[in-house]
Amino acid sequence: MLHRDYDGQTCSIARTLEVVGERWTLLVLREALAGTRRFDDFQAKLGIARNVLQTRLTRLVDDGVMERRLYQERPQRYEYVLTPAGRDLLPVLIAMMRWGDTHRAPDGPPTLIRHAGCGGDVTAAMTCERCGAELTPRELELAAGPGALAAV
């Protein structure tokens, strides 16, 4: 059984899964990145049970991925807006989408993401921050970072 936390693991992937590693959470984020903000709109677009949606939105707010903003006083109604941390998930979702387009969409991509300025396709590029090189998986190496546990 996969637990919610990963005690004893110093791994950023595991820590990220604690926040976004659930199917409905990723689909809520997909809709938020597409501009959805209101509870009823999330519910209608996803066909998700209201209690499940409320749990996911509350969790995303608690984890700092979204914030809840009042948009109507009487009755009180809130919208859910991505924080900078939430917007930083866009490349992750694009990469997942591209993988699905390649490996799980036999009739072609169901959705296209294009640059509004020129109409070009948007990619989830792997590039080197230092030299700008476009990289393949064979050109990557893993090294202990500043948050790694000391060898025991």
Side-chain angles (χ1 to χ4, degrees):
M1 176 175 161
L2 188 61
H3 299 283
R4 177 170 142 63
D5 59 13
Y6 300 86
D7 287 341
Q9 290 193 37
T10 305
C11 173
S12 294
I13 293 172
R15 290 175 182 158
T16 301
L17 283 173
E18 290 176 13
V19 178
V20 300
E22 191 278 327
R23 175 182 184 258
W24 284 118
T25 300
L26 288 170
L27 296 176
V28 166
L29 288 169
R30 177 196 69 194
E31 293 304 321
L33 287 161
T36 303
R37 292 178 164 221
R38 297 185 177 174
F39 186 94
D40 289 337
D41 294 334
F42 281 110
Q43 202 276 325
K45 289 178 180 186
L46 293 170
I48 184 175
R50 295 178 75 79
N51 64 320
V52 173
L53 177 59
Q54 186 59 56
T55 300
R56 297 308 176 268
L57 289 170
T58 299
R59 184 90 197 284
L60 288 166
V61 168
D62 291 346
D63 287 334
V65 176
M66 298 183 93
E67 72 178 53
R68 189 173 177 236
R69 290 186 190 160
L70 184 69
Y71 74 86
Q72 179 179 306
E73 297 254 352
R74 291 182 177 247
Q76 284 191 343
R77 295 200 186 274
Y78 294 87
E79 62 183 6
Y80 296 85
V81 180
L82 291 165
T83 64
R87 289 189 299 275
D88 282 349
L89 287 166
L90 180 58
V92 175
L93 291 179
I94 290 173
M96 291 177 70
M97 181 178 158
R98 294 293 177 235
W99 186 90
D101 291 346
T102 301
H103 301 284
R104 295 292 188 261
D107 297 326
T111 303
L112 301 174
I113 300 177
R114 298 225 165 106
H115 176 203
C118 74
D121 289 333
V122 175
T123 66
M126 283 195 331
T127 59
C128 175
E129 289 182 357
R130 180 178 292 165
C131 71
E134 292 187 22
L135 305 170
T136 66
R138 290 179 187 238
E139 296 173 286
L140 306 180
E141 64 181 32
L142 301 178
L149 295 175
V152 181

